[in-house]
Amino acid sequence: GVFAAAAASSIPLLARIAVVISMEILFFAQLGVALFHGVDFSLDGTNAHAHFDDTYGALQLLWVVGTGDSWTELMAIAADGGDSMLVAVGFFCGFLLTMQFVMLNLFTMVICEAFEALRDSTRRDTAALVPAFRAAWQALDPEGRGRIRRAQLPRLLETLAAPLGCAAPPTPTDEPPPADGEAARRGA
C-alpha cells in the first residue's frame, strides 16, 4: 500500500539521518567525557552505568538523556560535580535541542515528504523519468565527468520525453518502423 511504498522510498534518507544522529551522540559523548569525567551520575545507585568516565558509559547516559528522562536531575549533578553551572546547562540543553527538536524532527520530515511525493502524481511521473535522464546523460558523458558540452544539449533534449525534454513520448499504438526487407515483402 501507500505506507509500504512511502517507507521503502524513505529508507535511504532515514539511514543517513540515523548516521548523523549517531555522530551527534558520539560527539556529545566525547565532550561529556572531557567535561564531566569522574562525576557520579548514578542517581543514588539506581543506574550504576550512568557516567561520563568512558565513551560507552557516556553513550548510554546520553541515550537516556535523549529520551528526556531525568535530564534535569543529571544536569544538576553535572553542575554540582563539574566545572560550572553554565557549562552543564550549555552541554545538556545543547544536546537536547539538537536531539529532540532538530534531529528527531528530520525523521518526521522524511516520512511526510515520502507520503507527499507518493500522492503528487506530477512528482511521481517526473521521478519515473530520472532513469531515462541518467541514461541519456551517460550516453553523452561516458567518462562520468558530470558535464556535457553546450553543443550536446540539443541532442540531450531531443532524446528525452516531456517534461524533461522535447521528444514525443512513445504511445502504445506506435509500431516500430518496418525493416527494409519487410517493406519490400509487403509490396511497397
Side-chain angles (χ1 to χ4, degrees):
V2 174
F3 179 75
S9 68
S10 63
I11 286 175
L13 289 173
L14 290 174
R16 289 185 209 126
I17 291 171
V19 168
V20 170
I21 289 175
S22 299
M23 288 178 8
E24 180 205 358
I25 293 174
L26 184 61
F27 169 78
F28 274 95
Q30 293 298 316
L31 187 60
V33 168
L35 294 174
F36 306 117
H37 183 78
V39 178
D40 180 24
F41 287 95
S42 66
L43 297 174
D44 297 326
T46 57
N47 189 359
H49 302 290
H51 56 77
F52 280 110
D53 293 340
D54 57 46
T55 304
Y56 183 69
L59 289 172
Q60 288 180 334
L61 182 61
L62 287 176
W63 187 257
V64 172
V65 170
T67 65
D69 187 36
S70 302
W71 74 272
T72 54
E73 291 89 353
L74 295 170
M75 183 177 65
I77 292 170
D80 291 341
D83 292 337
S84 73
M85 178 68 140
L86 184 62
V87 170
V89 169
F91 176 82
F92 282 93
C93 289
F95 177 72
L96 281 171
L97 283 173
T98 55
M99 266 304 278
Q100 292 182 348
F101 297 119
V102 177
M103 295 298 182
L104 293 180
N105 282 330
L106 286 176
F107 278 107
T108 307
M109 184 262 327
V110 166
I111 297 294
C112 291
E113 179 72 19
F115 274 114
E116 181 182 319
L118 287 173
R119 290 191 180 127
D120 186 4
S121 62
T122 305
R123 261 177 112 170
R124 186 174 48 240
D125 295 343
T126 304
L129 295 173
V130 170
F133 178 81
R134 283 185 183 158
W137 187 278
Q138 189 174 15
L140 297 173
D141 182 23
E143 293 89 28
R145 294 178 314 201
R147 60 182 189 264
I148 61 174
R149 292 187 320 271
R150 189 178 315 153
Q152 292 175 305
L153 187 59
R155 187 169 148 205
L156 175 69
L157 294 175
E158 291 168 356
T159 306
L160 296 170
L164 297 180
C166 302
T171 59
T173 59
D174 289 345
E175 293 181 22
D180 292 335
E182 285 183 43
R185 279 183 269 158
R186 290 186 183 169

